[in-house]
Amino acid sequence: MGLVGINHQENGNGGEMGLSGGKNKYKRMSSELTADEGGFDHQKERSTRKYVFACAVFASLNSVLLGYDVGVMSGAILFIHEDLKITEVQEEVLVGCLSVVSLFGSLAGGRTSDAIGRKWTMGLAAFVFQIGAAIMTIAPTFHILMVGRLLAGVGIGFGVIIAPVYIVEISPTVARGSLTSFPEIFINLGILLGYISNYAFSGLPSHTNWRIMLAVGILPSVFIAFALCIIPESPRWLVMQNRVEEARSVLLKTNDNEAEVEERLAEILLAAGKYEEKAVWRELLSPSPSLRRMLVTGIGIQCFQQITGIDATVYYSPTIFKEAGVEDKSKLLAATVAVGVSKTAFILVAIFLIDRVGRKPLLYVSTIGMTICLFGLGITLSLFKEAPFGIGMAVLAVCGNVAFFSVGIGPVCWVLTSEIFPLRLRAQATALGAVGNRVCSGLVAMSFLSVARAITVAGTFFIFSAISALSIAFVYALVPETKGKSLEQIELLFQGEHGWEGKGVELGDVEHLVQKE
């Protein structure tokens, strides 16, 4: 695993620099430390790991709501179309509006989480979504259905930004990548549950089946209410509220080394004071060169995550398979379950590797693999449509695309945008990235059917493959490697002309980090 002591960073010459600028030896987590050497206690370590793991799981429950809504709507829309007699344009608006409206929740979520805390913003997100889901369940007309959909979108917007921010702020450095990927796991789990719900209830009458499918999405809110009674507030948010002792108490629960807790608390205090007299939005709108690099990287990776067409693949997988030659509705929904299984299974690969091989290698594998699969899907739908071979290839290409997405850009996108911004700007800067993500998601979801009708489904996926190829270049040029660095150290990667290339970072005095303008 990683290093004990987030302030210890190996420099390019092989030396180790500490907070005071002097040399400090570091130990890896796999090393055997006695209590006398570093206050290390294996029982306490296990207890701490379980506690942090539980916090990350509970904080990620909101993501199930987003995933379930995405997955269930792909099948429910077939029956809504039949029951409420909606047009193709209304179908696109119903599917895509959730992503567009969620950007308002994301924008409000950053400010709200700074005002009332990360923890209670999660609760607000679940409450708003629950109201929206209830309205959708009983909606007698398309217009009432849209009201519920819009409310659900706002709730999802709150939840989608706050979970990774919260997790990244409570996680120890050595496991931050894996733990911050948990929301993506739960999104994928939600998508899979949505697909299974489609398949399970598709045999019911069309007037009731889609309502039951949507109603099931209310259930995770019960577990979220329970989670709020257990998880602590973010220590970094507590420091920003001058509740330092409470922050220390949380850090002691999430870190098994008391000496490291004090060092980490000192880093947070110094970082929190860096922007003390500056308005957050003023700085975001008129950024320094280093902050501008952060914004380009954070917002850019969020946009590429969506404009490569993942939501088109997930929302409209039945449409894609129908284009390939699958006609029976049950077989269409069964094929989408295979997509959900692929998407969920491969996110586990990312969780295992993200803190071992790093963020950037996973992004390369992901973007290159997606480019190949998207191009292959375009070829298949162009040349082998309706042939048994073509159907198999289409299912394989779609499953491959979502698998490569889950291995890299899916989870890594949220990890990076939660890591790279300074403490006081983190929630609202992450919200800007989420806005880019939601806008692109909505544009893709709301335009897919129209674009496919104009240039064919195959032509649409050729465009997605070209955009995916561009994302490879973006990752190469603008995304740094953040593995194994504390949140306060990551800021140094963006200092200087070529800071984002991810070369070795030398830590002299932490005041260089917190006082440099």
Side-chain angles (χ1 to χ4, degrees), residues 79-88 90 142 206:
F79 304 103
I80 293 171
H81 185 92
E82 181 181 335
D83 183 32
L84 300 183
K85 312 299 183 200
I86 63 175
T87 66
E88 187 177 90
Q90 287 176 320
F142 172 75
S206 61

Side-chain angles (χ1 to χ4, degrees), residues 465-477:
S465 69
I467 295 171
S468 185
L470 289 176
S471 71
I472 302 170
F474 179 87
V475 170
Y476 174 78

Side-chain angles (χ1 to χ4, degrees), residues 20 76 102 122 166-167 218 244 341 351 381 392 403 432 456 459 514:
S20 62
S102 66
M122 290 184 233
Y166 173 82
I167 295 171
I218 299 173
V244 179
V341 170
I351 301 310
L381 295 177
L432 280 180
T456 74
V514 298

Side-chain angles (χ1 to χ4, degrees), residues 157-431:
F158 274 105
V160 78
I161 71 136
I162 197 56
V165 169
Y166 173 82
I167 295 171
V168 85
E169 291 185 347
I170 67 162
S171 300
T173 302
V174 294
R176 189 179 62 238
S178 297
L179 293 173
T180 309
S181 301
F182 275 27
E184 188 67 20
I185 293 180
F186 281 75
I187 288 175
N188 285 282
L189 179 61
I191 290 172
L192 178 58
L193 291 175
Y195 286 156
I196 293 172
S197 178
N198 289 155
Y199 186 71
F201 299 116
S202 61
L204 298 175
S206 61
H207 179 68
T208 57
N209 57 9
W210 65 268
R211 298 178 190 277
I212 296 174
M213 293 173 188
L214 297 179
V216 172
I218 299 173
L219 296 179
S221 298
V222 177
F223 298 100
I224 293 170
F226 172 74
L228 293 176
C229 300
I230 297 176
I231 63 175
E233 185 52 84
S234 158
R236 286 174 169 83
W237 183 82
L238 291 171
V239 167
M240 289 169 61
Q241 306 303 309
N242 295 317
R243 294 157 62 178
V244 179
E245 287 307 312
E246 292 178 61
R248 179 181 282 108
S249 176
V250 174
L251 286 171
L252 286 169
K253 292 179 181 178
T254 59
N255 197 306
D256 48 53
N257 188 306
E258 292 188 18
E260 184 179 344
V261 165
E262 295 305 321
E263 292 172 350
R264 193 170 178 187
L265 184 61
E267 282 188 339
I268 296 170
L269 283 164
L270 287 168
K274 179 178 179 182
Y275 301 104
E276 190 173 7
E277 298 179 358
K278 297 183 179 179
V280 172
W281 280 106
R282 186 184 307 164
E283 184 156 2
L284 289 174
L285 294 174
S286 182
S288 64
S290 61
L291 180 57
R292 188 178 301 114
R293 295 185 184 106
M294 295 174 190
L295 290 170
V296 169
T297 299
I299 297 174
I301 197 69
Q302 288 278 8
C303 291
F304 271 114
Q305 190 205 52
Q306 291 299 326
I307 59 177
T308 48
I310 188 63
D311 273 7
T313 306
V314 173
Y315 274 125
Y316 296 108
S317 52
T319 302
I320 296 166
F321 296 140
K322 190 173 182 179
E323 177 74 10
V326 182
E327 294 293 339
D328 183 74
K329 280 186 179 179
S330 294
K331 290 181 179 178
L332 284 173
L333 296 177
T336 62
V337 173
V339 175
V341 170
S342 300
K343 200 169 188 301
T344 305
F346 279 86
I347 187 69
L348 300 178
V349 176
I351 301 310
F352 180 76
L353 294 178
I354 193 168
D355 283 317
R356 289 170 170 80
V357 304
R359 286 53 159 160
K360 203 160 181 174
L362 290 182
L363 284 173
Y364 281 135
V365 170
S366 176
T367 51
I368 293 170
M370 287 171 62
T371 302
I372 294 170
C373 289
L374 289 166
F375 187 78
L377 182 58
I379 292 289
T380 300
L381 295 177
S382 298
L383 304 179
F384 306 108
K385 190 164 58 173
E386 298 183 2
F389 171 77
I391 292 173
M393 287 300 297
V395 173
L396 182 62
V398 171
C399 289
N401 182 57
V402 299
F404 279 114
F405 177 88
S406 291
V407 162
I409 198 168
V412 173
C413 166
W414 294 104
V415 173
L416 277 172
T417 50
S418 301
E419 287 180 328
I420 62 177
F421 295 109
L423 171 60
R424 188 165 178 266
L425 306 177
R426 184 171 299 132
Q428 296 187 48
T430 302

Side-chain angles (χ1 to χ4, degrees), residues 62 65 101-102 105-106 121-122 124-130 149-161:
N62 262 318
L65 303 177
V101 173
S102 66
S106 294
T121 302
M122 290 184 233
L124 178 62
F127 179 72
V128 174
F129 178 88
Q130 192 172 26
R149 187 80 169 151
L150 295 176
L151 279 172
V154 172
I156 283 174
F158 274 105
V160 78
I161 71 136

